Amino acid sequence: LSGVGTFIHFDAARAIMTGAGLGEGAATLLTAGGAVADMLLALMLLVRRWSRAALIGMILLAAAYLAAGTLLLPGLWLD
């Protein structure tokens, strides 16, 4: 549901990215791309033969979010 939540609060999510120094275009693309990826991976879990790939994808996506957040907004670790 995190992808749906991102689209509901899209402007706030994008503002975090622009606050990290990304341009409007890059922030929009990364915000929407991450939300779509979250939703597609969640849908993949519904099909048993795709569930392993979906879970691996979720781990990789979470690692990417962690790395990007650490590099772009290290102050979030203080929250």
Side-chain angles (χ1 to χ4, degrees), residues 1-77:
L1 294 175
S2 64
V4 174
T6 299
F7 279 119
I8 291 171
H9 303 287
F10 192 80
D11 290 333
R14 187 180 53 203
I16 293 170
M17 302 292 273
T18 56
L22 292 176
E24 285 288 325
T28 299
L29 182 64
L30 289 174
T31 302
V36 169
D38 281 341
M39 291 186 292
L40 287 176
L41 288 168
L43 289 173
M44 286 175 65
L45 283 177
L46 299 175
V47 179
R48 184 170 174 81
R49 69 178 168 168
W50 293 343
S51 61
R52 179 172 158 66
L55 292 172
I56 291 170
M58 288 176 171
I59 291 169
L60 294 174
L61 189 58
Y65 288 156
L66 178 65
T70 299
L71 292 173
L72 296 174
L73 292 163
L76 288 177
W77 285 106

